[in-house]
Amino acid sequence: MKHKFIFITGGVMSGLGKGVITASIAKLLQLSNQNVSCIKIDPYLNYDAGTMNPITHGEVFVTKDGGECDMDIGNYERFLNKDIPRSHNITTAQIYSHVIESERQGKYLGACVQIIPHITDEIKNRIKKIANDEKLDVIVVECGGTIGDIESLPFVESLRQIRAEFGNTEVLFVHVTLIPSLEVVNEQKTKPTQHSVQELRKIGIQPDMIIGRCEKPLLEKTKKKIALFTNVNLEDVISCHDAKSIFNIPDILSKQGVTKSIFKKFNKTNIHNNKRWNEWHSIVNSLHGNNKIVKIAMIGKYVSLTDSYVSVVHALKHSAASLQRNISIDLIDSENININKLANFNGILIPGGFGTRGSKGIIKTANYAYKKNIPYLGICFGFQLAIVAFGLHYCKLDDANSTEICATTKNPVIDLLPEQNDVSKIGGSLRLGSNKIKIKKDTITYKIYKNNQIIKRHRHRYEFNKNYLDIYEKNGLIFSGESDNGRRIEIIEEPTRKFFIGVQFHPEFDSRPGFPENIINAFIHASML
Ligand code: GLN
């Protein structure tokens, strides 16, 4: 089978939304009946995103098969409504460690092992293998970083080689750059783009399309200038201006002929699928335009960067949209929380988190939500600390805590997963990815999922200590979901409250626009009442 490749590079600076543009281009192809997927290349030296602080790098997105990935993988899943395996997030560390290990095993038969061809071959093989294994019509590969960076060079070189191997009708390069506007002169400036394309050419790549990130739509004269200086056809200079929502980007690109141009370059016939387009438009339109608002407070310690919780934020929006509500989400720092201000919210959500800092504020919040009967959803850390709060205030377990927060607590109601006792490595060692969860009949959770079994993604090292199960049950907490033949508690609920539910798993990773996740939907629903 022949696959087509689209390579997305970035110019001028990072943070242009290349991930969204990559996902949007893939979406356009999917809407034209192509079997498409995306790959994210991260040229950093971390093996994966798992060890990175979300405040500097955004959320760690967990794939079904347990990968701790760059948050762009989440964008791909949400745009394409498709699970993306961990192999689609390639890093420098993965490539080098594989090549070095192969060398140690003597697999290179005495050769001198070098960046070209050994590193570049490994990169190319991984990309081709994904396209083959998944029988893709088109694979869209986003190369992280900015052209000119030292660390992305071997990757960009590999992409160049793929083009040299297959030719211009099989491989396209799309370069995403910034077109700044200077207010004072009221002009869109093209010089940074010109320089960035020169950098690309220096390493042997002529882009086929330029997508300019800008505040306002690119003017015709700006497009002309870019076309002239970069050797790109005028119709392939595309404006990606600020939009109401990221889900409007496919439309913005499509209206400028991006799909048509890609098919033309690929020598393929475009099969515009009206039904798929209508479905997509109705999803996108549902995401805004409702005037009744539901106000949610989200409390955590990584609030200085919204991207730290990007999947939760999206999931809340998907649910609100499906319930014809607008949503406002206030991110509140758990370290400096003014608890009484929470009275102004319709619902309180505690997302995942790690470590001691800010944990007191979270425990207080969970108790406040319970006491004041404000709908509460605790995810992972938010589940664990709701159990701590309930233990402290309603089970007379003084000093109840998680051993993650206080190793010597008298009542370790949340404790290390037993299999973690001998684990000393931090990277990739949490309980990760999808696991089956059994749901008890006649519980609120059962009503929400309408099923006695669900499969959900995980990322944790601590869990509920079942030695305390009886005390909690006696005091009214219901353990409505469990996994691993009853060894682990996955869900708690308290039926006397409007909505007081905690889940050890991460429902946010399964929510897609138009297809909200059940428990998050139920939480928003309860917050509307
Ligand atoms: N820190 C907790 C644990 O490791 C919760 C993790 C999380 O919220 N993702 O179990």
Side-chain angles (χ1 to χ4, degrees):
M1 182 177 177
K2 263 182 127 190
H3 321 285
K4 307 277 187 184
F5 301 84
I6 299 180
F7 298 142
I8 316 276
T9 54
V12 183
M13 64 175 214
S14 60
L16 293 179
K18 252 189 314 172
V20 168
I21 291 174
T22 302
S24 300
I25 289 179
K27 186 74 204 175
L28 292 179
L29 294 163
Q30 190 188 53
L31 292 173
S32 285
N33 288 356
Q34 301 299 298
N35 183 16
V36 62
S37 192
C38 300
I39 292 179
K40 173 75 192 291
I41 289 173
D42 278 309
Y44 46 64
L45 281 177
N46 301 62
Y47 196 86
D48 57 34
T51 54
M52 270 188 269
N53 187 333
I55 288 185
T56 49
H57 204 77
E59 146 196 292
V60 177
F61 186 84
V62 181
T63 57
K64 241 184 171 168
D65 60 350
E68 294 177 286
C69 293
D70 183 88
M71 61 175 209
D72 279 326
I73 302 289
N75 276 325
Y76 307 159
E77 290 208 355
R78 285 185 284 270
F79 271 81
L80 299 178
N81 189 18
K82 178 173 176 166
D83 297 330
I84 305 279
R86 62 193 300 179
S87 57
H88 289 228
N89 191 188
I90 303 175
T91 66
T92 294
Q94 291 164 20
I95 300 291
Y96 274 76
S97 52
H98 180 86
V99 169
I100 291 167
E101 183 55 30
S102 300
E103 185 274 331
R104 290 292 79 188
Q105 288 174 12
K107 289 195 179 148
Y108 296 111
L109 306 175
C112 170
V113 182
Q114 295 183 299
I115 293 181
I116 303 174
H118 300 98
I119 292 293
T120 46
D121 279 352
E122 180 58 27
I123 296 167
K124 289 193 289 180
N125 290 342
R126 287 193 185 206
I127 295 171
K128 290 181 199 167
K129 185 171 181 329
I130 288 172
N132 267 322
D133 289 354
E134 296 173 25
K135 300 189 174 49
L136 298 174
D137 299 312
V138 188
I139 179 90
V140 187
V141 182
E142 173 190 356
C143 185
T146 308
I147 289 299
D149 293 348
I150 292 176
E151 52 180 12
S152 61
L153 266 178
F155 289 103
V156 185
E157 166 61 13
S158 310
L159 306 183
R160 185 196 69 75
Q161 290 180 16
I162 295 183
R163 160 111 100 183
E165 191 181 326
F166 295 110
N168 291 350
T169 55
E170 313 301 302
V171 182
L172 298 183
F173 276 91
V174 176
H175 194 50
V176 180
T177 71
L178 174 74
I179 317 285
S181 292
L182 286 184
E183 280 289 323
V184 266
V185 283
N186 193 19
E187 202 184 338
Q188 295 174 327
K189 307 303 276 182
T190 66
K191 191 70 81 190
T193 300
Q194 295 176 34
H195 281 293
S196 167
V197 172
Q198 279 172 21
E199 281 298 319
L200 253 185
R201 289 213 202 104
K202 260 193 236 166
I203 46 180
I205 294 166
Q206 166 62 46
D208 302 279
M209 187 178 279
I210 305 267
I211 299 188
R213 268 295 284 126
C214 42
E215 241 173 83
K216 306 239 168 69
L218 281 188
L219 301 169
E220 196 58 17
K221 67 173 185 186
T222 316
K223 286 189 171 182
K224 276 190 179 147
K225 200 163 172 188
I226 295 172
L228 180 69
F229 277 94
T230 61
N231 254 343
V232 169
N233 296 331
L234 180 59
E235 63 268 26
D236 291 323
V237 179
I238 307 296
S239 170
C240 183
H241 36 274
D242 291 353
K244 236 204 280 186
S245 129
I246 56 171
F247 298 106
N248 291 107
I249 305 294
D251 261 309
I252 290 182
L253 301 183
S254 163
K255 285 197 178 114
Q256 294 171 80
V258 168
T259 325
K260 245 180 29 208
S261 176
I262 290 175
F263 276 93
K264 197 167 134 205
K265 290 180 201 309
F266 278 157
N267 267 338
K268 268 180 106 153
T269 322
N270 180 7
I271 318 143
H272 182 92
N273 185 325
N274 265 332
K275 189 171 162 263
R276 284 193 179 185
W277 267 103
N278 291 343
E279 278 165 13
W280 173 247
H281 278 151
S282 78
I283 289 172
V284 173
N285 293 338
S286 74
L287 292 172
H288 24 75
N290 304 305
N291 37 28
K292 280 197 185 151
I293 210 165
V294 53
K295 286 175 73 183
I296 301 297
M298 188 153 102
I299 294 94
K301 72 174 178 184
Y302 312 119
V303 290
S304 56
L305 185 78
T306 328
D307 277 351
S308 308
Y309 303 111
V310 64
S311 290
V312 183
V313 170
H314 276 295
L316 290 169
K317 288 182 181 170
H318 304 159
S319 286
S322 80
L323 295 162
Q324 282 90 48
R325 284 293 188 281
N326 214 332
I327 186 165
S328 79
I329 303 164
D330 281 31
L331 297 182
I332 299 169
D333 184 354
S334 53
E335 256 190 313
N336 308 299
I337 190 165
N338 178 348
I339 212 81
N340 293 317
K341 284 211 169 142
L342 294 176
N344 301 327
F345 292 91
N346 306 118
I348 294 174
L349 187 144
I350 307 283
F354 292 84
T356 310
R357 185 167 66 81
S359 57
K360 275 207 180 103
I362 294 177
I363 296 168
K364 252 202 225 164
T365 300
N367 185 43
Y368 182 85
Y370 185 85
K371 235 174 39 191
K372 300 283 177 185
N373 203 4
I374 302 173
Y376 175 92
L377 177 63
I379 296 177
C380 205
F381 207 38
F383 154 93
Q384 297 174 356
L385 297 194
I387 291 177
V388 169
F390 196 87
L392 286 170
H393 298 284
Y394 307 103
C395 305
K396 299 199 179 75
L397 290 169
D398 58 326
D399 204 29
N401 215 333
S402 162
T403 51
E404 178 178 7
I405 295 165
C406 174
T408 54
T409 180
K410 259 195 336 229
N411 285 305
V413 293
I414 303 293
D415 203 2
L416 201 62
L417 297 166
E419 65 270 31
Q420 291 271 334
N421 277 321
D422 300 321
V423 174
S424 57
K425 244 182 26 183
I426 293 291
S429 60
L430 291 102
R431 178 173 179 245
L432 290 166
S434 282
N435 293 86
K436 276 191 200 140
I437 296 165
K438 269 175 89 183
I439 297 177
K440 258 192 218 147
K441 281 250 164 84
D442 302 322
T443 59
I444 299 168
T445 313
Y446 185 84
K447 277 196 203 113
I448 291 173
Y449 282 106
K450 299 181 186 64
N451 208 329
N452 55 9
Q453 187 179 292
I454 54 174
I455 296 176
K456 293 285 161 186
R457 306 183 198 192
H458 294 80
R459 183 173 186 247
H460 64 119
R461 213 183 290 283
Y462 294 82
E463 65 178 351
F464 176 61
N465 178 347
K466 284 191 80 179
N467 295 333
Y468 290 91
L469 197 121
D470 288 348
I471 303 180
Y472 275 85
E473 274 184 340
K474 267 187 211 131
N475 289 288
L477 203 67
I478 290 179
F479 296 90
S480 46
E482 58 185 38
S483 61
D484 293 342
N485 296 322
R487 266 176 57 209
R488 299 183 208 292
I489 294 298
E490 293 272 0
I491 308 169
I492 53 159
E493 57 184 57
E494 211 287 358
T496 69
R497 307 287 103 181
K498 260 203 235 164
F499 188 101
F500 191 83
I501 291 189
V503 291
Q504 180 59 79
F505 58 86
H506 287 270
E508 69 271 26
F509 297 133
D510 287 317
S511 177
R512 313 263 166 89
F515 306 93
E517 202 283 339
N518 295 35
I519 213 139
I520 296 182
N521 228 32
F523 164 65
I524 295 292
H525 189 255
S527 304
M528 285 161 38
L529 299 175

